[in-house]
Amino acid sequence: MASSRGEFGSRFGFVMAASGSAVGLGNIWGFPTQAATNGGAAFLLVYLFLAFVLAYPILMAELVIGRHAHANAVSALRQISPTRLTGNIGALGGMAGFVIASLILTFYAIVAGWMMAFCLASVADLIGLTDFSRWLMTFGWWRNVVFMLAFMALTMAIITAGVRAGIEQWSQRLMPTLLIMLAALVGYVLTQEGASDGLKVYLMPDFRSALSPQLIIAALGSAFFSLSLGVGTMLIYGSYLKDDENLPIVGGLVTLVDVSIAVLAGFLVLPAMYVALHNGVEIFTETGALISEDTLIFTVLPELFATMGIAGVLGSITLFFLMSIAALTSAISMLEVPVAYAIEEHGTKRRNAVLIIGSLIALGSVVILLHFESLFGLVIAITTRYSQPLLGLMMCVYAGWVWRRDSLLRELRKNDPSAAEGLFWKVWPWYVKFVCPVIILAIFSHATWG
Ligand code: TRP
């Protein structure tokens, strides 16, 4: 059964692909910005704790369900349901997941397009095309549309190639490149004046702020978005895993890679902010709050690079190229969610599914660009603040309450015959049943009434 579907060829390939999904604009910019707003080191500590204690178990829920069913979220949740009713509710949840994944991609493609535009702008600077460079860096309809479409076209091309040739091959190449480039940039930034102020903020915790509920909820949300949870992305990736793969270890590796890159990105962005501050660039408003995320990255970083001469141009090319890569490997994981559904539930050919769904998503992005002021923030809020926690809650309920325990154990035994004696089996089922839902409900109620 599994062999008629796509399947990852190696553990390395899977870990790279799933980490490629997890590591994206969220880690490289979102996490460091939140760390900067929420007390730096205190946020880092809470984030580290929550990533392993909360996000990892939910990631496991998606991976286990996915591998068991070897199917997309809709039929996977139906398969593990003992009754018709829970099956139908699960299928509805799975459908909600692919709608949300598609909606996330509509704004993600826009921001990723900006990354590509800024990368190209520095190349244009390098060869003396200053007017073109200015156009690329200025917020405008044609710039936005052209680069959003270019990004979507790249994503669609990779997804068309399928699991092994597409997702795995690309991620295997892109992910290590990303790590190396990030480390090199961190090394560079740390030699700059002002960087030590950023390091101090990032590494010296203030334990009073570590206990504030606002910080904890921010760190929770960050971990959740960062690991691509809720919408069925990781469930689909799990469904392409071979049965003999050790799930708890593979999931742990993915979490480790995701968290490491976020922490590494913090070592780049926080010092870079204070280098910019040192050079007279405004990064805080008059009230001491951080200037909003998109303003920060697209105003402050180019200004920072501008003070570095030719090294700055090269640094800018590197950084925005790196961001584009990270966004691309995340975007392919989003597009795979609705594409896998169309292929498996409606027998659509992969090429056609990609073409139709990709075009619809691009159309959605165009609509957002047409009504940017009102729609952009709204779509982000609806998808990431409300939908993701709710859908994550559903994954926990299905793994912990709906799925029969003996069937779940049988799944874990596929790769580890002694799973019943292991620590994972003793802790995890109870954990996703009670602890994770309570925490997610807390996030959701805060987002609603906080
Ligand atoms: N985790 C990615 C990031 O940090 C984004 C992402 C990819 C995502 N797939 C997802 C977010 C699915 C939510 C749901 O940028």
Side-chain angles (χ1 to χ4, degrees):
M1 175 191 70
S3 56
S4 64
R5 303 176 75 240
E7 203 169 68
F8 285 108
S10 70
R11 173 184 288 192
F12 180 71
F14 172 79
V15 171
M16 287 302 111
S19 324
S21 162
V23 177
L25 306 178
N27 299 61
I28 311 247
W29 187 246
F31 165 79
T33 310
Q34 294 219 40
T37 346
N38 289 289
F43 183 88
L44 174 64
L45 277 181
V46 178
Y47 174 86
L48 282 177
F49 180 76
L50 290 176
F52 292 103
V53 167
L54 176 78
Y56 169 65
I58 298 174
L59 171 66
M60 286 310 303
E62 285 203 37
L63 290 182
V64 176
I65 295 174
R67 194 189 62 176
H68 173 76
H70 283 301
N72 64 84
V74 175
S75 60
L77 293 174
R78 190 171 263 145
Q79 267 186 53
I80 63 167
S81 292
T83 70
R84 229 192 141 99
L85 180 68
T86 47
N88 287 339
I89 295 174
L92 267 182
M95 284 180 204
F98 80 68
V99 172
I100 297 305
S102 310
L103 277 175
I104 290 177
L105 189 48
T106 58
F107 72 79
Y108 213 81
I110 295 173
V111 181
W114 295 342
M115 300 293 168
M116 289 167 55
F118 272 67
C119 176
L120 202 62
S122 298
V123 175
D125 262 342
L126 201 61
I127 53 178
L129 300 173
T130 29
D131 284 346
F132 183 48
S133 168
R134 200 167 311 124
W135 179 79
L136 286 168
M137 287 170 69
T138 310
F139 190 97
W141 163 257
W142 284 112
R143 196 277 317 254
N144 290 346
V145 170
V146 165
F147 282 89
M148 177 274 292
L149 288 177
F151 181 80
M152 278 305 293
L154 270 178
T155 308
M156 287 161 70
I158 296 175
I159 280 289
T160 305
V163 167
R164 193 175 298 193
I167 301 172
E168 181 172 355
Q169 291 291 322
W170 273 88
S171 301
Q172 260 178 4
R173 277 177 224 143
L174 296 178
M175 285 300 298
T177 318
L178 176 72
L179 246 179
I180 293 166
M181 288 169 79
L182 198 53
L185 269 176
V186 169
Y188 177 76
V189 157
L190 289 183
T191 64
Q192 301 301 303
E193 212 156 325
S196 59
D197 290 340
L199 268 189
K200 249 180 249 155
V201 172
Y202 194 40
L203 294 178
M204 285 178 25
D206 164 12
F207 286 103
R208 272 168 312 164
S209 55
L211 294 176
S212 97
Q214 205 192 348
L215 182 148
I216 293 172
I217 280 164
L220 265 175
S222 192
F224 211 87
F225 185 80
S226 177
L227 270 168
S228 314
L229 299 176
V231 301
T233 287
M234 288 303 182
L235 194 152
I236 278 290
Y237 275 34
S239 81
Y240 297 139
L241 263 177
K242 289 179 178 155
D243 280 340
D244 56 6
E245 204 57 88
N246 187 319
L247 283 178
I249 288 185
V250 165
L253 280 175
V254 172
T255 310
L256 205 62
V257 170
D258 182 54
V259 168
S260 310
I261 295 205
V263 172
L264 193 59
F267 277 103
L268 169 65
V269 174
L270 274 93
M273 278 170 49
Y274 286 83
V275 172
L277 194 66
H278 177 85
N279 292 337
V281 179
E282 267 180 50
I283 58 170
F284 296 108
T285 61
E286 273 168 22
T287 58
L290 209 59
I291 295 172
S292 75
E293 278 180 42
D294 26 330
T295 320
L296 255 175
I297 184 138
F298 297 107
T299 316
V300 175
L301 282 185
E303 277 192 58
L304 160 74
F305 286 126
T307 61
M308 294 175 179
I310 187 72
V313 180
L314 296 176
S316 174
I317 294 173
T318 317
L319 182 74
F320 287 112
F321 179 65
L322 184 132
M323 299 274 226
S324 308
I325 291 176
L328 191 60
T329 54
S330 296
I332 56 185
S333 81
M334 288 176 212
L335 187 56
E336 182 64 12
V337 175
V339 164
Y341 170 79
I343 293 172
E344 289 170 24
E345 302 295 305
H346 299 288
T348 320
K349 281 212 180 79
R350 178 167 275 272
R351 171 184 281 274
N352 294 344
V354 172
L355 209 62
I356 295 166
I357 297 168
S359 307
L360 281 176
I361 291 172
L363 203 65
S365 303
V366 169
V367 172
I368 292 180
L369 285 173
L370 280 171
H371 308 276
F372 192 82
E373 292 299 322
S374 51
L375 283 185
F376 188 70
L378 186 70
V379 173
I380 294 179
I382 290 174
T383 53
T384 64
R385 273 182 71 185
Y386 297 92
S387 308
Q388 271 197 279
L390 262 188
L391 291 167
L393 173 67
M394 183 194 66
M395 294 292 179
C396 290
V397 169
Y398 272 75
W401 296 86
V402 175
W403 198 359
R404 289 174 50 129
R405 257 177 81 87
D406 53 342
S407 167
L408 174 60
L409 182 59
R410 230 178 296 131
E411 179 58 37
L412 289 171
R413 275 192 169 139
K414 274 186 190 161
N415 61 270
D416 177 14
S418 61
E421 287 82 56
L423 183 68
F424 188 77
W425 176 252
K426 292 203 175 100
V427 177
W428 178 77
W430 171 83
Y431 203 87
V432 282
K433 195 168 181 169
F434 297 106
V435 181
C436 295
V438 167
I439 300 176
I440 294 169
L441 278 178
I443 300 176
F444 186 62
S445 52
H446 175 82
T448 315
W449 297 289

